[in-house]
Amino acid sequence: MKRAFKLILIIPVAVIVVALSVANRHSVVFSIDPFGGDDPAFSYTIPLFWLLFGALAVGVIAGGVATWIGQSKWRRAARNDRAEIERTKRDKDRAQSSTSTLPIPADRQPAA
């Protein structure tokens, strides 16, 4: 089931990626020099689809980082809850082990 779902998702995405790559394969000038005018100091000539996929990758990474930062309070709460559960288990085990080693008074011995 999981494998079929992956195929159903991957095949259309692959078709779209190939279609975008073929349709936008001409070269464009990418410049990171806003004051360069006609002859920018920092410019690259690359295919347009690389710019599109690069912008998509940067957006996915930025969104992932923003989500990860936004969920930090939930991760902290889960970490604190796990620590509290472990402390409670240790206390319970310690209490059980200390009561099991105490001698039972003669008047409270189970009847044979």
Side-chain angles (χ1 to χ4, degrees):
M1 178 70 181
K2 193 174 184 180
R3 187 173 184 207
F5 181 71
K6 281 183 182 179
L7 285 175
I8 290 171
L9 186 66
I10 289 175
I11 290 174
V13 170
V15 169
I16 290 171
V17 166
V18 169
L20 278 173
S21 299
V22 170
N24 296 299
R25 64 184 181 267
H26 57 281
S27 295
V28 293
V29 176
F30 175 71
S31 173
I32 54 175
D33 182 9
F35 305 110
D38 292 335
D39 189 25
F42 301 107
S43 65
Y44 303 99
T45 303
I46 58 174
L48 179 59
F49 70 91
W50 281 112
L51 283 177
L52 295 173
F53 296 147
L56 180 67
V58 168
V60 167
I61 291 169
V65 168
T67 301
W68 184 75
I69 290 171
Q71 292 175 347
S72 64
K73 68 178 182 178
W74 302 112
R75 285 192 311 277
R76 187 178 317 113
R79 192 170 41 248
N80 291 340
D81 290 347
R82 279 193 302 270
E84 180 66 27
I85 289 169
E86 287 300 318
R87 278 193 300 275
T88 304
K89 284 181 181 178
R90 277 195 311 268
D91 291 346
K92 177 186 150 222
D93 292 342
R94 195 174 309 129
Q96 283 179 345
S97 67
S98 66
T99 58
S100 65
T101 59
L102 292 177
I104 300 175
D107 61 339
R108 301 214 178 180
Q109 290 288 333

